[in-house]
Amino acid sequence: RGAKPPRVCKAIMAAPPPSAPGEPGPPPPPLQYSLLLQHLVGDKRQPRVWDPATLGGIPCPPKSEEQKMVERVMESCPFKAALACVGGFVLGGAFGIFTAGIDTNVGFDPKDPYRTPTAKEVLKDMGQRGISYAKNFAIVGAMFSCTECVVESYRGKSDWKNSVISGCITGGAIGFRAGLKAGVIGCGGFAAFSAAVDYYLR
């Protein structure tokens, strides 16, 4: 007997059916990385909820209605004005007492210039000056804070222009009591001071 020839297995590849003449051929199958990009940055991407606990952070529980109400109150203009009024009163009082402590004319009696004032008279003058400064600082602080909050709410922006506008309004309102010229000077001076402070703080 003669040896049989080796069997050769040929892989039969499926070919796309031939298209009719004049018609475009079938589109090629999409590549695998194209499908991957659709799931990563394409239309098939699923939104993920950011959870700090999955990244090792501290989970933040949802805010309650009481917490939201407290935040709304603290961000309101009346609360900011009241807080600035209290802060201005304390700062003005401390500044008044300090200036009275270094002033040599505290307790001075013009009728008897050679008389040495007593400690009670010096403390009385220091208290009066401290109260006067505290009232002025409280009024200015409340006016400035309330005006800035209203301007910021109206403009919808938080930038240096709010400080300049509120400073001009506050300085002009205080200076107009002494006349138009004093009001204009107060507006410009207070606006420039507010811009300088805002620039330094930012």
Side-chain angles (χ1 to χ4, degrees):
R1 295 181 178 178
K4 293 182 179 181
R7 183 177 296 177
V8 179
C9 297
K10 296 182 179 180
I12 301 176
M13 299 180 63
S19 57
E23 294 182 0
L31 300 177
Q32 294 297 328
Y33 72 89
S34 299
L35 297 176
L36 182 62
L37 288 177
Q38 290 181 5
H39 287 279
L40 291 178
V41 295
D43 299 335
K44 297 182 180 180
R45 180 185 178 187
Q46 299 293 331
R48 295 182 59 186
V49 180
W50 184 77
D51 187 8
T54 60
L55 302 177
I58 300 176
C60 182
K63 297 180 181 180
S64 61
E65 293 297 330
E66 290 78 8
Q67 291 177 338
K68 294 180 181 179
M69 182 179 65
V70 171
E71 289 183 355
R72 286 194 296 267
V73 171
M74 294 182 65
E75 293 176 357
S76 61
C77 294
F79 181 82
K80 291 181 179 180
L83 187 63
C85 181
V86 174
F89 187 87
V90 175
L91 181 63
F95 185 74
I97 293 175
F98 174 75
T99 54
I102 62 176
D103 190 1
T104 57
N105 292 327
V106 174
F108 176 76
D109 188 6
K111 296 181 180 179
D112 191 2
Y114 297 101
R115 185 180 67 86
T116 303
T118 62
K120 184 178 180 180
E121 294 174 347
V122 172
L123 292 176
K124 182 180 179 181
D125 288 348
M126 290 176 64
Q128 291 177 352
R129 183 175 295 188
I131 293 296
S132 176
Y133 274 68
K135 290 180 180 179
N136 294 332
F137 274 63
I139 294 174
V140 172
M143 289 179 59
F144 180 81
S145 179
C146 185
T147 307
E148 185 180 19
C149 181
V150 172
V151 172
E152 181 178 352
S153 300
Y154 177 77
R155 296 182 66 241
K157 297 179 182 179
S158 179
D159 52 10
W160 60 273
K161 294 181 181 180
N162 297 333
S163 300
V164 174
I165 295 173
S166 57
C168 180
I169 294 174
T170 304
I174 295 175
F176 273 134
R177 296 182 298 178
L180 180 60
K181 184 178 180 180
V184 174
I185 295 175
C187 174
F190 214 103
F193 177 75
S194 301
V197 172
D198 188 83
Y199 176 79
Y200 177 77
L201 293 178
R202 290 179 185 271

